[in-house]
Amino acid sequence: MARHKKTAADLGAWLCFEDEAGQGLRPPKGRTWGRRGHTPVVRVTAAGTKRVSMAALICTKSGHRPRLIYRTHLDRGPAKGRRKGFTENEYARLLDAAHQQLGGPVVLVWDNLNTHISRTMRQLIDARLWLTVYQLPPYAPEFNPVEGVWSHLKRSLSGPGS
């Protein structure tokens, strides 16, 4: 971890941690009160949407306030050959947007998701001279501060008092 900070400092770069999370959008089954013989109907707005995925970057640089940069991806159900989550090009667009917003080089730390380590992603990374990428060790959520964002988000979505 110290190596990433030193590299970022040496390059005058932003140190960014990336992670992604997904959430199914089908409403949970539940019970409610209604008059006997009259089944209550609850309308939901997620019709046709099966899942939402979010990729986020937490970016830090000495002397600057930290930034949270994120993008969402809607999956509307099965289609042949279509990914449920982010594609390599969607990750590249997220990184390009971060580079533009941050206004400088980026040292990126992310996990070993198959999309992150694919040949296509390697080519997209190599084409961005302002980007240096490090992989986290396999299953190391304690090293990635974005995990705390997901924890907070999912707790806040579960309702009051959670």
Side-chain angles (χ1 to χ4, degrees):
M1 197 58 66
R3 179 181 77 196
H4 310 329
K5 287 181 184 178
K6 181 171 178 3
T7 300
D10 290 348
L11 295 172
W14 287 82
L15 178 59
C16 298
F17 292 87
E18 188 277 341
D19 197 35
E20 56 289 319
Q23 181 68 44
L25 293 179
R26 289 190 177 143
K29 291 182 179 181
R31 296 177 181 258
T32 186
W33 292 94
R35 289 189 0 228
R36 184 176 294 209
H38 297 283
T39 303
V41 177
V42 179
R43 305 242 182 258
V44 294
T45 60
T49 302
K50 308 276 188 198
R51 180 177 182 79
V52 65
S53 297
M54 183 183 290
L57 296 165
I58 289 183
C59 306
T60 63
K61 184 176 180 180
S62 182
H64 294 80
R65 64 183 178 84
R67 307 276 180 87
L68 174 67
I69 300 170
Y70 66 92
R71 295 291 184 271
T72 58
H73 171 88
L74 292 176
D75 173 37
R76 298 202 178 273
K80 199 166 190 128
R82 187 172 59 190
R83 293 183 60 90
K84 283 197 276 186
F86 283 79
T87 64
E88 288 90 343
N89 287 323
E90 288 172 311
Y91 280 118
R93 284 194 296 273
L94 170 63
L95 296 172
D96 290 341
H99 177 244
Q100 186 175 20
Q101 288 179 39
L102 300 171
V106 171
V107 172
L108 175 66
V109 181
W110 61 7
D111 58 20
N112 294 290
L113 182 69
N114 60 354
T115 312
H116 295 169
I117 59 174
S118 72
R119 182 179 313 146
T120 302
M121 193 74 237
R122 177 82 315 201
Q123 292 168 345
L124 291 166
I125 290 167
D126 291 343
R128 287 157 174 80
L129 300 178
W130 47 264
L131 181 60
T132 304
V133 177
Y134 291 100
Q135 304 295 139
L136 285 167
Y139 194 72
E142 67 276 8
F143 294 136
N144 195 339
V146 185
E147 293 288 344
V149 172
W150 304 142
S151 175
H152 175 74
L153 180 65
K154 288 180 179 183
R155 275 196 319 271
S156 68
L157 291 174
S158 66
S162 46

